[in-house]
Amino acid sequence: MQLSIVIPFYNEEESLPELISWIQRVVDTHRFSYEIIMVDDGSNDNSWEVVKKLQTQNEHIKGISFQRNYGKSAALNEAFKAALGDYIITMDADLQDSPDEIPELYEMITTGRYDIVSGWKKKRFDNALTKNIPSKLYNYVTGKLSGIQLHDMNCGLKNLASIMFVGKYGKKPMHIFGFWGILVFMVGAGIWIYLAIAKFAFMQYKMTERPLFYVGIISIVIGTQLFLAGFLGELISRNSSDRNSYNIAEKIGLDE
């Protein structure tokens, strides 16, 4: 089998039929041998029922349903363990990743030019505060620390060889605490920048006597602590003996 197309999703009942139809048109046109592994990350809408209906119409579809929301990394981990294809293509279920890119992704990695191919969402339709800004910060910091310069490390559209998927784990501590830590820290930093401009540009004094000054200090301290809590949570989860153990409600098209 050439391709395992992995789609983690959460509450995407409206987009799933169109996405599967789109994928099917592309892979059939290019005559790929394939499977589609869909992982329901604890959706509370009718997404899983939609998947089961789609599976009766397309035998290439396989599904895994979590009992609760574990996060995208957990969903990918379970799908990677079940994948049978020589290459795995991942994509999000919200139709922001185009299945039309599948043939080029496959060609880029099978010709030996690249080991990993990652997509890039040039135009994002996510919430700027909760998604876009944290994503930009993540890309910048990760790029500086790792030396890997990608436009969008969080893009769901990727192509990798199956042998490369080992030891995935959830990242919920860093997602939760990291996001709020960065947000609170930025509030504190913004306050200090404002006070600095007020002092040096407008010659205002007694800044340390203003309540706003202490709000800024507290925000920076709390933000740093939240970020460190998320980081420590990541370290603990990585060393947990059951870090890759998830409660699965149901499987379709896969060995139980």
Side-chain angles (χ1 to χ4, degrees):
M1 185 184 299
Q2 293 169 294
L3 293 176
S4 291
I5 301 171
V6 172
I7 306 172
F9 64 89
Y10 178 75
N11 292 345
E12 297 284 358
E13 61 177 315
E14 295 183 358
S15 64
L16 291 177
E18 182 177 350
L19 177 61
I20 294 302
S21 177
W22 192 355
I23 292 173
Q24 190 170 351
R25 288 198 303 271
V26 172
V27 295
D28 287 348
T29 298
H30 292 270
R31 297 182 179 179
F32 287 123
S33 58
Y34 72 100
E35 64 181 356
I36 301 174
I37 303 178
M38 310 184 72
V39 186
D40 182 0
D41 190 20
S43 297
N44 49 39
D45 64 356
N46 291 319
S47 293
W48 183 243
E49 296 304 316
V50 172
V51 170
K52 290 198 289 186
K53 181 178 179 180
L54 290 171
Q55 200 271 340
T56 62
Q57 303 167 0
N58 185 341
E59 62 181 8
H60 297 283
I61 294 176
K62 302 174 182 179
I64 301 171
S65 177
F66 286 162
Q67 290 184 4
R68 65 175 180 84
N69 181 255
Y70 284 101
K72 186 175 182 179
S73 292
L76 291 174
N77 179 75
E78 287 301 309
F80 293 161
K81 290 192 293 186
L84 300 176
D86 295 329
Y87 299 94
I88 299 179
I89 289 179
T90 66
M91 60 175 55
D92 292 334
D94 57 5
L95 299 176
Q96 291 196 55
D97 296 333
S98 172
D100 288 335
E101 304 293 339
I102 290 176
E104 186 174 359
L105 288 172
Y106 181 77
E107 190 273 337
M108 290 174 71
I109 202 168
T110 54
T111 56
R113 289 187 292 158
Y114 304 97
D115 296 319
I116 300 174
V117 181
S118 179
W120 174 22
K121 291 180 182 178
K122 290 186 177 182
K123 183 181 293 185
R124 298 181 66 101
F125 299 96
D126 301 312
N127 183 279
L129 181 62
T130 60
K131 292 287 187 178
N132 294 0
I133 294 176
S135 179
K136 289 181 183 297
L137 288 171
Y138 173 81
N139 288 329
Y140 175 78
V141 173
T142 305
K144 289 294 184 182
L145 292 176
S146 66
I148 301 174
Q149 301 302 317
L150 292 178
H151 291 98
D152 189 359
M153 293 191 179
N154 284 323
C155 180
L157 189 62
K158 290 180 171 61
N159 185 8
L160 305 93
S162 296
I163 193 66
M164 302 181 71
F165 295 108
V166 180
K168 288 282 180 181
Y169 45 83
K171 296 183 178 179
K172 294 212 102 172
M174 199 59 188
H175 281 173
I176 298 172
F177 290 99
F179 166 73
W180 286 108
I182 291 173
L183 184 61
V184 174
F185 183 91
M186 289 177 64
V187 169
I191 290 173
W192 274 23
I193 291 172
Y194 163 75
L195 293 175
I197 293 174
K199 178 174 182 177
F200 295 108
F202 300 101
M203 305 305 290
Q204 297 182 20
Y205 299 98
K206 297 184 179 181
M207 294 298 175
T208 57
E209 296 180 9
R210 296 187 179 187
L212 194 60
F213 174 80
Y214 295 99
V215 172
I217 292 179
I218 293 173
S219 297
I220 289 175
V221 171
I222 292 177
T224 302
Q225 289 179 333
L226 285 172
F227 187 86
L228 290 175
F231 180 74
L232 292 174
E234 283 297 295
L235 293 179
I236 293 172
S237 66
R238 290 186 185 194
N239 291 302
S240 173
S241 59
D242 62 345
R243 65 182 182 273
N244 289 333
S245 177
Y246 311 106
N247 293 323
I248 296 174
E250 187 178 359
K251 291 182 180 181
I252 54 173
L254 295 165
D255 294 333
E256 297 293 334

